[in-house]
Amino acid sequence: MEIVKGQIYIRWMNGERLKVRLAYQRGFQIVDGSTVLAAFENHVKAFKFVRDRGARVWLAWSRTVIGGQSAPYDFTASFLQSSVGRISKNQWGSLSGTWSWSISTSDPRFRLHGGQRGTTATKDDAVYELEREFTKFIADTDKYRR
């Protein structure tokens, strides 16, 4: 069993994705596959747990829909069914072929902050950056209180 825990720890340190989910009347749980790793009274503490292990929160991803149509190369990240960010492939200009990512949320649970954003070479890198930065942002919520 210790070896398994050690392997999980190594994966966390390499940027593993962990799910944070609502625990019925008990706050939030951190889950790795089907294993509950920890439970916390609020989402900020849960995000701190994930961040402190070098991991990132696994966000839900879907196609971005604008005017009832799915936008090509455009995806929305959400947490607890609230949109928290977006990635999209740059189609024109000097950034053509790269992927842009941005955190954007007006949900008061996640504190409006004006946005971390960046550009990466691949879609997977954009997902990684957005999830990592969102995890850090929520874990550091106290810094962003107005």
Side-chain angles (χ1 to χ4, degrees), residues 22-29 39-42:
L22 284 170
Y24 182 70
Q25 295 184 346
R26 294 185 205 164
F28 294 81
Q29 294 176 330
F40 296 92
E41 62 191 34
N42 65 55

Side-chain angles (χ1 to χ4, degrees), residues 10-82:
I10 289 167
R11 287 188 307 172
W12 284 340
M13 298 310 291
N14 290 324
E16 183 67 16
R17 297 164 93 187
L18 299 172
K19 292 198 182 229
V20 174
R21 68 181 185 195
L22 284 170
Y24 182 70
Q25 295 184 346
R26 294 185 205 164
F28 294 81
Q29 294 176 330
I30 291 83
V31 181
D32 184 13
S34 61
T35 304
V36 175
L37 302 175
F40 296 92
E41 62 191 34
N42 65 55
H43 68 283
V44 174
K45 289 180 181 181
F47 275 66
K48 285 180 182 180
F49 176 89
V50 173
R51 181 212 50 205
D52 291 349
R53 279 146 188 81
R56 66 190 199 270
V57 171
W58 193 332
L59 298 173
W61 290 92
S62 61
R63 300 286 295 211
T64 301
V65 177
I66 300 172
Q69 299 292 317
S70 292
Y73 308 108
D74 198 323
F75 301 88
T76 300
S78 60
F79 179 71
L80 298 180
Q81 300 175 336
S82 292

Side-chain angles (χ1 to χ4, degrees), residues 60-105:
W61 290 92
S62 61
R63 300 286 295 211
T64 301
V65 177
I66 300 172
Q69 299 292 317
S70 292
Y73 308 108
D74 198 323
F75 301 88
T76 300
S78 60
F79 179 71
L80 298 180
Q81 300 175 336
S82 292
S83 175
V84 298
R86 208 166 143 187
I87 66 170
S88 62
K89 189 173 186 180
N90 296 304
Q91 302 292 307
W92 303 275
S94 62
L95 295 177
S96 182
T98 63
W99 285 79
S100 293
W101 62 271
S102 64
I103 296 173
S104 57
T105 177

